Amino acid sequence: MSGGGLRFGYGTNGFAGHRLEDALAVLADLGYEGVALTLDHAHLDPFAPDLPGRVAALSRRLAGLGLAVVVETGARYLLDPRRKHEPTLLSDGGAERRVAFLRAAVDIAADLGAEAVSFWSGVRPAHVPEDAAWERLLSGCGAVLEAAGRRGVPLGFEPEPGMLVADLDGYERLRRRLGHPEGLGLTLDIGHCRCNEPLPVADCVRRAGDRLVNVQIDDMRRGAHEHLEFGTGEIDFPPVLAALEEIGYRGLVAVELPRHCHAAPAVAERSLAFLRAARAAAPPPPAPARAPVPAVERARPETVRAALDDRLTAEGAAWLRESCALVAADPAALAARLPAAGRRCGRGPLGSAAPGLAGWTVDDAARVALLAALPLAGEDLAAEAARTYRHGDAAEKRGVLRALDVLDVGDGALPVVRDALRTDDTRLIAAALGPYAAERLDGGSWRHGVLKCAFLGMPLATVAGLGRRADGELVRMLRDLARERAAAGRPVPADVRSMLAGRIR
């Protein structure tokens, strides 16, 4: 087992001359903790007979050897015996075969309990305009994302030198054009970072951040896409491994040396020894520390009630008092009272200038008052809020999100915020990016929430604490979005321009 958090694996495409069961045994004996399984003719051919039986047998074998697995889909001649890597998602003919293969890979990964499925875009055919190639890619990715979502399998999209999506900028563009799907993570080949990324390799790792679901590792030289043994290229590996630890990456770090099959056992042994030494030489990661909590104004329960007093009719106020008393006595009463809040209290703007209440409606505030009446606290209150959100309609979900800005639920309700940010409902997104998210949501999720606001044309003013929490990475993401819009002849929102000009504080 590896010390520390990193787990080293090896790509089976580097053992193409071995039977798969023999390759697994060699790697386990050497001390690897996982494999990057490339589906290919000799290694779990997805088109050979009795695939379910072979997958089940492999699952048992991996478990017996204590090996984790990710599924790779970059076999050279699996789909076409004459044309390397064809057809791709960009091909004139046969793109549907690539999609079918990737869907099959998702099913195999689900049945193996794999940590991710990795795939790439393909090379743009010379006669296909770039815009048309992107449309093909978006269509294919959408189909694969749908399949992966059904099976609960993370996808790792790999930027590949020479392909349509060749670098991290291309990956970011793909995510934006797909609407920032939660299921599309990143496969990062460390060698590629040296080959064609402008940033130092360790900074590429930091840029990947929490989107990273799969890592391939090899040495490489600037401008030359050739996977090299460690120590024969130009990469300084201790800072790279330290960066992986720093961002909290816990997936496999799998050696990617597909052209070294002629000496696979010896290369694998040398590679593991090198990686262990590099990890030992890595500078220690900075001590974990929570980002400073932005000074964001939050509403208080009594502030919410005071604002309601100015807006409710006598009948509505009486209903709310009765309902809060019932909920305080029996939390089960919330299920019946919360849906009625809009009808009994009204749905117009709350119109309060009190801190933290901008953009609220009367029914938002009424639902917050009902949730605040629950005789629960801490984890129990967070769990009830999550249950209520899960079973509520859009208005009830928004009420729960507003309540997070008022109640003390700790970090327990962060999954609710992340779920809201995955939707395209602008009302939910606005409510999700309130003071609770500003104070507690991780940096990657918060930035992507802000970026989604810009993408959907929502005012950035709806984001609580934006001026205090915005950082260089968010500015870079917004700049990329602005450039893409300008290149497409689409307007760049004024508040995005102000953000890039440094006028939002």
Side-chain angles (χ1 to χ4, degrees):
M1 299 290 288
S2 69
L6 298 182
R7 296 176 298 138
F8 297 127
Y10 202 94
T12 60
N13 58 359
F15 272 76
H18 285 66
R19 299 180 185 88
L20 181 56
E21 57 268 29
D22 292 338
L24 298 178
V26 170
L27 293 170
D29 287 345
L30 287 174
Y32 283 95
E33 295 186 66
V35 292
L37 171 64
T38 297
L39 302 176
D40 207 344
H41 300 96
H43 292 169
L44 198 65
D45 184 347
F47 304 114
D50 191 26
L51 179 61
R54 289 183 291 118
V55 170
L58 176 58
S59 180
R60 292 191 295 270
R61 180 64 169 157
L62 290 166
L65 294 171
L67 292 173
V69 62
V70 296
V71 172
E72 300 280 351
T73 59
R76 293 184 178 94
Y77 294 101
L78 181 64
L79 301 184
D80 189 318
R82 293 179 176 85
R83 299 180 299 158
K84 179 182 175 182
H85 290 156
E86 289 290 332
T88 74
L89 295 173
L90 313 179
S91 298
D92 284 328
E96 69 281 357
R97 291 177 57 215
R98 175 65 59 174
V99 170
F101 166 55
L102 293 175
R103 284 172 166 162
V106 165
D107 288 334
I108 290 169
D111 293 339
L112 290 176
E115 297 179 5
V117 170
S118 182
F119 70 112
W120 33 242
S121 61
V123 176
R124 176 173 66 88
H127 64 280
V128 176
E130 184 171 347
D131 287 348
W134 271 98
E135 290 305 316
R136 294 178 184 184
L137 178 60
L138 296 173
S139 175
C141 285
V144 179
L145 278 163
E146 191 273 334
R150 279 201 318 269
R151 298 302 307 268
V153 174
L155 296 176
F157 190 94
E158 181 186 3
E160 184 83 17
M163 293 191 176
L164 179 66
V165 178
D167 53 23
L168 288 172
D169 283 347
Y171 167 74
E172 295 285 4
R173 179 183 179 187
L174 176 63
R175 277 185 56 85
R176 285 195 302 272
R177 295 194 62 176
L178 287 169
H180 305 280
E182 184 74 14
L184 189 67
L186 173 67
T187 289
L188 188 68
D189 187 304
I190 297 301
H192 295 171
C193 296
R194 178 57 187 162
C195 175
N196 70 340
E197 295 285 353
L199 292 175
V201 179
D203 287 343
C204 292
V205 171
R206 295 185 183 97
R207 178 179 174 183
D210 57 7
R211 290 161 292 176
L212 197 56
V213 298
N214 183 32
V215 171
Q216 302 166 353
I217 193 164
D218 46 79
D219 214 340
M220 209 167 282
R221 298 188 181 97
R222 172 70 68 189
H225 186 197
E226 181 181 0
H227 294 252
L228 304 173
E229 273 199 73
F230 301 116
T232 64
E234 299 172 342
I235 298 176
D236 183 15
F237 283 93
V240 174
L241 299 182
L244 287 168
E245 291 272 20
E246 178 185 325
I247 67 170
Y249 176 69
R250 292 296 177 263
L252 283 177
V253 180
V255 178
E256 175 80 355
L257 293 172
R259 299 185 183 276
H260 292 70
C261 300
H262 61 284
V267 172
E269 185 173 12
R270 289 196 298 267
S271 298
L272 186 56
F274 181 95
L275 289 171
R276 285 172 169 170
R279 182 178 58 208
R290 191 182 188 112
V293 175
V296 178
E297 291 184 308
R298 299 183 62 164
R300 301 177 61 83
E302 56 269 27
T303 309
V304 175
R305 292 302 300 265
L308 278 169
D309 288 343
D310 293 336
R311 296 287 292 156
L312 292 179
T313 64
E315 181 183 357
W319 179 87
L320 186 59
R321 284 194 300 271
E322 175 192 18
S323 298
C324 287
L326 289 172
V327 169
D330 180 9
L334 183 70
R337 294 283 163 158
L338 202 73
R343 178 167 51 85
R344 301 301 295 266
C345 296
R347 297 182 175 89
L350 186 61
S352 174
L357 298 182
W360 283 41
T361 61
V362 173
D363 55 322
D364 285 342
R367 292 186 174 97
V368 171
L370 289 168
L371 287 159
L374 287 166
L376 304 172
E379 292 182 1
D380 292 336
L381 182 55
E384 180 62 24
R387 186 200 65 76
T388 303
Y389 175 91
R390 192 164 53 248
H391 296 293
D393 63 16
E396 292 158 37
K397 289 179 188 290
R398 191 174 68 248
V400 172
L401 291 164
R402 297 295 194 195
L404 301 182
D405 297 335
V406 177
L407 306 178
D408 184 9
V409 294
D411 290 342
L414 286 173
V416 168
V417 174
R418 295 190 180 100
D419 181 85
L421 293 178
R422 285 193 289 268
T423 74
D424 290 325
D425 188 325
T426 56
R427 297 169 303 168
L428 291 185
I429 294 169
L433 288 171
Y436 179 77
E439 294 177 2
R440 295 184 177 272
L441 192 61
D442 65 276
S445 298
W446 183 83
R447 291 187 205 99
H448 280 90
V450 177
L451 191 66
K452 194 163 192 177
C453 285
F455 183 82
L456 294 174
M458 297 170 57
L460 294 186
T462 62
V463 181
L466 177 64
R468 297 180 177 92
R469 189 163 179 183
D471 57 10
E473 177 65 7
L474 176 63
V475 171
R476 184 197 62 75
M477 294 164 72
L478 289 171
R479 183 175 292 115
D480 287 347
L481 175 64
R483 286 171 177 163
E484 182 176 308
R485 289 202 168 208
R490 299 171 62 196
V492 177
D495 52 5
V496 172
R497 294 197 302 271
S498 294
M499 184 86 187
L500 296 177
R503 292 194 294 268
I504 292 182
R505 292 285 185 263

Short mmCIF file of all heavy atoms in Angstrom, two decimals, residues 30-66:
data_model
loop_
_atom_site.label_atom_id
_atom_site.label_comp_id
_atom_site.label_asym_id
_atom_site.label_seq_id
_atom_site.Cartn_x
_atom_site.Cartn_y
_atom_site.Cartn_z
N LEU A 30 4.11 -6.40 -7.70
CA LEU A 30 5.06 -5.30 -7.63
C LEU A 30 4.67 -4.26 -6.58
O LEU A 30 5.51 -3.49 -6.13
CB LEU A 30 5.18 -4.62 -9.00
CG LEU A 30 5.92 -5.38 -10.08
CD1 LEU A 30 5.82 -4.65 -11.42
CD2 LEU A 30 7.39 -5.59 -9.71
N GLY A 31 3.40 -4.23 -6.22
CA GLY A 31 2.94 -3.28 -5.22
C GLY A 31 2.05 -2.18 -5.73
O GLY A 31 1.73 -1.23 -4.99
N TYR A 32 1.62 -2.26 -6.99
CA TYR A 32 0.66 -1.28 -7.50
C TYR A 32 -0.69 -1.47 -6.82
O TYR A 32 -1.06 -2.59 -6.43
CB TYR A 32 0.52 -1.40 -9.01
CG TYR A 32 1.67 -0.80 -9.78
CD1 TYR A 32 2.74 -1.58 -10.21
CD2 TYR A 32 1.70 0.56 -10.06
CE1 TYR A 32 3.81 -1.02 -10.90
CE2 TYR A 32 2.75 1.13 -10.75
CZ TYR A 32 3.81 0.33 -11.17
OH TYR A 32 4.86 0.90 -11.86
N GLU A 33 -1.44 -0.39 -6.74
CA GLU A 33 -2.75 -0.43 -6.06
C GLU A 33 -3.92 -0.37 -7.03
O GLU A 33 -5.07 -0.41 -6.58
CB GLU A 33 -2.86 0.72 -5.06
CG GLU A 33 -1.86 0.59 -3.93
CD GLU A 33 -2.07 1.65 -2.87
OE1 GLU A 33 -3.13 1.61 -2.20
OE2 GLU A 33 -1.20 2.51 -2.73
N GLY A 34 -3.64 -0.25 -8.31
CA GLY A 34 -4.73 -0.20 -9.26
C GLY A 34 -4.23 -0.32 -10.68
O GLY A 34 -3.01 -0.33 -10.95
N VAL A 35 -5.18 -0.40 -11.60
CA VAL A 35 -4.86 -0.48 -13.03
C VAL A 35 -5.77 0.46 -13.80
O VAL A 35 -6.92 0.69 -13.43
CB VAL A 35 -5.01 -1.92 -13.58
CG1 VAL A 35 -3.97 -2.84 -12.98
CG2 VAL A 35 -6.42 -2.46 -13.35
N ALA A 36 -5.19 1.00 -14.87
CA ALA A 36 -5.98 1.72 -15.86
C ALA A 36 -6.22 0.74 -17.00
O ALA A 36 -5.31 0.45 -17.77
CB ALA A 36 -5.24 2.96 -16.34
N LEU A 37 -7.42 0.20 -17.06
CA LEU A 37 -7.75 -0.89 -17.98
C LEU A 37 -8.19 -0.33 -19.33
O LEU A 37 -9.27 0.25 -19.45
CB LEU A 37 -8.87 -1.74 -17.38
CG LEU A 37 -9.49 -2.80 -18.29
CD1 LEU A 37 -8.46 -3.86 -18.68
CD2 LEU A 37 -10.70 -3.44 -17.62
N THR A 38 -7.35 -0.52 -20.36
CA THR A 38 -7.73 -0.14 -21.72
C THR A 38 -8.48 -1.30 -22.36
O THR A 38 -7.92 -2.39 -22.54
CB THR A 38 -6.48 0.20 -22.56
OG1 THR A 38 -5.85 1.35 -21.98
CG2 THR A 38 -6.88 0.54 -23.98
N LEU A 39 -9.75 -1.08 -22.67
CA LEU A 39 -10.55 -2.11 -23.32
C LEU A 39 -9.99 -2.34 -24.72
O LEU A 39 -9.94 -1.43 -25.54
CB LEU A 39 -12.01 -1.69 -23.39
CG LEU A 39 -12.67 -1.36 -22.04
CD1 LEU A 39 -14.10 -0.87 -22.26
CD2 LEU A 39 -12.66 -2.57 -21.12
N ASP A 40 -9.56 -3.58 -25.01
CA ASP A 40 -8.89 -3.86 -26.28
C ASP A 40 -9.08 -5.32 -26.64
O ASP A 40 -9.65 -6.10 -25.86
CB ASP A 40 -7.40 -3.50 -26.17
CG ASP A 40 -6.78 -3.11 -27.51
OD1 ASP A 40 -7.39 -3.40 -28.55
OD2 ASP A 40 -5.68 -2.53 -27.49
N HIS A 41 -8.58 -5.71 -27.79
CA HIS A 41 -8.76 -7.08 -28.27
C HIS A 41 -8.33 -8.12 -27.23
O HIS A 41 -9.03 -9.10 -26.98
CB HIS A 41 -7.96 -7.30 -29.56
CG HIS A 41 -8.36 -6.40 -30.68
ND1 HIS A 41 -7.68 -5.23 -30.95
CD2 HIS A 41 -9.37 -6.47 -31.58
CE1 HIS A 41 -8.25 -4.63 -31.99
NE2 HIS A 41 -9.28 -5.35 -32.38
N ALA A 42 -7.17 -7.89 -26.62
CA ALA A 42 -6.61 -8.89 -25.71
C ALA A 42 -7.00 -8.66 -24.26
O ALA A 42 -6.76 -9.53 -23.42
CB ALA A 42 -5.09 -8.90 -25.84
N HIS A 43 -7.56 -7.51 -23.95
CA HIS A 43 -7.87 -7.16 -22.57
C HIS A 43 -9.34 -6.75 -22.45
O HIS A 43 -9.70 -5.61 -22.68
CB HIS A 43 -6.97 -6.02 -22.10
CG HIS A 43 -5.53 -6.40 -21.97
ND1 HIS A 43 -4.53 -5.46 -21.78
CD2 HIS A 43 -4.91 -7.61 -22.00
CE1 HIS A 43 -3.35 -6.08 -21.70
NE2 HIS A 43 -3.57 -7.38 -21.84
N LEU A 44 -10.17 -7.72 -22.11
CA LEU A 44 -11.61 -7.53 -21.93
C LEU A 44 -12.25 -6.92 -23.17
O LEU A 44 -12.89 -5.86 -23.12
CB LEU A 44 -11.90 -6.67 -20.69
CG LEU A 44 -13.35 -6.78 -20.16
CD1 LEU A 44 -13.65 -8.17 -19.67
CD2 LEU A 44 -13.60 -5.77 -19.06
N ASP A 45 -12.08 -7.58 -24.29
CA ASP A 45 -12.69 -7.14 -25.56
C ASP A 45 -14.19 -6.98 -25.36
O ASP A 45 -14.90 -7.94 -25.09
CB ASP A 45 -12.39 -8.19 -26.64
CG ASP A 45 -12.89 -7.77 -28.02
OD1 ASP A 45 -13.67 -6.81 -28.11
OD2 ASP A 45 -12.49 -8.41 -29.00
N PRO A 46 -14.71 -5.76 -25.51
CA PRO A 46 -16.15 -5.56 -25.26
C PRO A 46 -17.03 -6.17 -26.34
O PRO A 46 -18.26 -6.21 -26.16
CB PRO A 46 -16.28 -4.03 -25.22
CG PRO A 46 -15.15 -3.54 -26.05
CD PRO A 46 -14.03 -4.50 -25.85
N PHE A 47 -16.45 -6.64 -27.45
CA PHE A 47 -17.24 -7.19 -28.54
C PHE A 47 -17.14 -8.71 -28.63
O PHE A 47 -17.75 -9.32 -29.51
CB PHE A 47 -16.81 -6.55 -29.86
CG PHE A 47 -16.90 -5.05 -29.85
CD1 PHE A 47 -15.76 -4.27 -29.93
CD2 PHE A 47 -18.12 -4.42 -29.72
CE1 PHE A 47 -15.84 -2.89 -29.90
CE2 PHE A 47 -18.21 -3.03 -29.69
CZ PHE A 47 -17.07 -2.27 -29.78
N ALA A 48 -16.37 -9.31 -27.75
CA ALA A 48 -16.24 -10.77 -27.74
C ALA A 48 -17.41 -11.39 -26.97
O ALA A 48 -18.10 -10.70 -26.21
CB ALA A 48 -14.91 -11.17 -27.11
N PRO A 49 -17.65 -12.70 -27.17
CA PRO A 49 -18.80 -13.36 -26.51
C PRO A 49 -18.69 -13.34 -24.99
O PRO A 49 -17.61 -13.21 -24.42
CB PRO A 49 -18.74 -14.80 -27.05
CG PRO A 49 -17.96 -14.71 -28.32
CD PRO A 49 -16.96 -13.61 -28.11
N ASP A 50 -19.85 -13.48 -24.36
CA ASP A 50 -19.99 -13.60 -22.90
C ASP A 50 -19.34 -12.46 -22.15
O ASP A 50 -18.60 -12.67 -21.19
CB ASP A 50 -19.44 -14.95 -22.41
CG ASP A 50 -19.82 -15.22 -20.95
OD1 ASP A 50 -20.84 -14.67 -20.49
OD2 ASP A 50 -19.06 -15.92 -20.25
N LEU A 51 -19.61 -11.25 -22.57
CA LEU A 51 -19.04 -10.10 -21.88
C LEU A 51 -19.47 -10.05 -20.41
O LEU A 51 -18.63 -9.84 -19.54
CB LEU A 51 -19.42 -8.80 -22.60
CG LEU A 51 -18.90 -7.51 -21.96
CD1 LEU A 51 -17.38 -7.49 -21.92
CD2 LEU A 51 -19.45 -6.29 -22.70
N PRO A 52 -20.75 -10.26 -20.08
CA PRO A 52 -21.13 -10.19 -18.66
C PRO A 52 -20.36 -11.17 -17.79
O PRO A 52 -19.93 -10.83 -16.68
CB PRO A 52 -22.63 -10.50 -18.67
CG PRO A 52 -23.09 -10.10 -20.04
CD PRO A 52 -21.94 -10.44 -20.94
N GLY A 53 -20.17 -12.39 -18.30
CA GLY A 53 -19.43 -13.37 -17.51
C GLY A 53 -17.98 -12.98 -17.33
O GLY A 53 -17.40 -13.15 -16.25
N ARG A 54 -17.38 -12.43 -18.39
CA ARG A 54 -15.97 -12.03 -18.29
C ARG A 54 -15.81 -10.82 -17.38
O ARG A 54 -14.82 -10.72 -16.64
CB ARG A 54 -15.42 -11.74 -19.69
CG ARG A 54 -15.25 -13.01 -20.53
CD ARG A 54 -14.63 -12.74 -21.89
NE ARG A 54 -15.52 -12.00 -22.77
CZ ARG A 54 -15.27 -10.81 -23.28
NH1 ARG A 54 -14.14 -10.19 -22.98
NH2 ARG A 54 -16.13 -10.22 -24.09
N VAL A 55 -16.76 -9.90 -17.42
CA VAL A 55 -16.69 -8.75 -16.53
C VAL A 55 -16.82 -9.21 -15.07
O VAL A 55 -16.07 -8.73 -14.19
CB VAL A 55 -17.79 -7.73 -16.87
CG1 VAL A 55 -17.90 -6.65 -15.80
CG2 VAL A 55 -17.51 -7.09 -18.23
N ALA A 56 -17.74 -10.11 -14.80
CA ALA A 56 -17.91 -10.61 -13.44
C ALA A 56 -16.65 -11.30 -12.94
O ALA A 56 -16.23 -11.12 -11.79
CB ALA A 56 -19.11 -11.55 -13.38
N ALA A 57 -16.03 -12.11 -13.82
CA ALA A 57 -14.80 -12.79 -13.43
C ALA A 57 -13.68 -11.80 -13.16
O ALA A 57 -12.91 -11.96 -12.19
CB ALA A 57 -14.39 -13.78 -14.52
N LEU A 58 -13.58 -10.77 -14.00
CA LEU A 58 -12.54 -9.77 -13.79
C LEU A 58 -12.78 -8.99 -12.50
O LEU A 58 -11.83 -8.68 -11.77
CB LEU A 58 -12.51 -8.80 -14.98
CG LEU A 58 -11.52 -7.64 -14.87
CD1 LEU A 58 -10.10 -8.14 -14.67
CD2 LEU A 58 -11.61 -6.74 -16.10
N SER A 59 -14.02 -8.68 -12.21
CA SER A 59 -14.34 -7.98 -10.98
C SER A 59 -13.87 -8.78 -9.77
O SER A 59 -13.27 -8.23 -8.83
CB SER A 59 -15.84 -7.72 -10.89
OG SER A 59 -16.17 -7.04 -9.70
N ARG A 60 -14.10 -10.09 -9.80
CA ARG A 60 -13.65 -10.94 -8.70
C ARG A 60 -12.13 -10.96 -8.62
O ARG A 60 -11.53 -10.93 -7.53
CB ARG A 60 -14.20 -12.36 -8.87
CG ARG A 60 -15.71 -12.46 -8.69
CD ARG A 60 -16.16 -13.91 -8.61
NE ARG A 60 -15.91 -14.64 -9.86
CZ ARG A 60 -16.78 -14.72 -10.87
NH1 ARG A 60 -17.95 -14.10 -10.79
NH2 ARG A 60 -16.49 -15.41 -11.97
N ARG A 61 -11.47 -11.00 -9.79
CA ARG A 61 -10.01 -11.06 -9.81
C ARG A 61 -9.41 -9.76 -9.26
O ARG A 61 -8.46 -9.80 -8.46
CB ARG A 61 -9.54 -11.28 -11.26
CG ARG A 61 -8.03 -11.36 -11.43
CD ARG A 61 -7.46 -12.55 -10.72
NE ARG A 61 -6.07 -12.78 -11.08
CZ ARG A 61 -5.20 -13.44 -10.33
NH1 ARG A 61 -5.59 -13.93 -9.16
NH2 ARG A 61 -3.96 -13.61 -10.74
N LEU A 62 -9.94 -8.64 -9.66
CA LEU A 62 -9.46 -7.36 -9.15
C LEU A 62 -9.63 -7.27 -7.63
O LEU A 62 -8.73 -6.81 -6.92
CB LEU A 62 -10.20 -6.20 -9.83
CG LEU A 62 -9.87 -5.96 -11.31
CD1 LEU A 62 -10.91 -5.03 -11.93
CD2 LEU A 62 -8.47 -5.39 -11.49
N ALA A 63 -10.79 -7.71 -7.16
CA ALA A 63 -11.04 -7.67 -5.72
C ALA A 63 -10.07 -8.58 -4.98
O ALA A 63 -9.55 -8.22 -3.91
CB ALA A 63 -12.49 -8.07 -5.44
N GLY A 64 -9.83 -9.76 -5.55
CA GLY A 64 -8.91 -10.69 -4.91
C GLY A 64 -7.49 -10.16 -4.82
O GLY A 64 -6.76 -10.47 -3.87
N LEU A 65 -7.08 -9.38 -5.81
CA LEU A 65 -5.73 -8.81 -5.82
C LEU A 65 -5.66 -7.46 -5.12
O LEU A 65 -4.56 -6.90 -4.96
CB LEU A 65 -5.25 -8.65 -7.27
CG LEU A 65 -5.02 -9.94 -8.05
CD1 LEU A 65 -4.75 -9.64 -9.52
CD2 LEU A 65 -3.85 -10.73 -7.46
N GLY A 66 -6.80 -6.92 -4.72
CA GLY A 66 -6.82 -5.63 -4.06
C GLY A 66 -6.50 -4.47 -4.99
O GLY A 66 -5.90 -3.48 -4.56
#
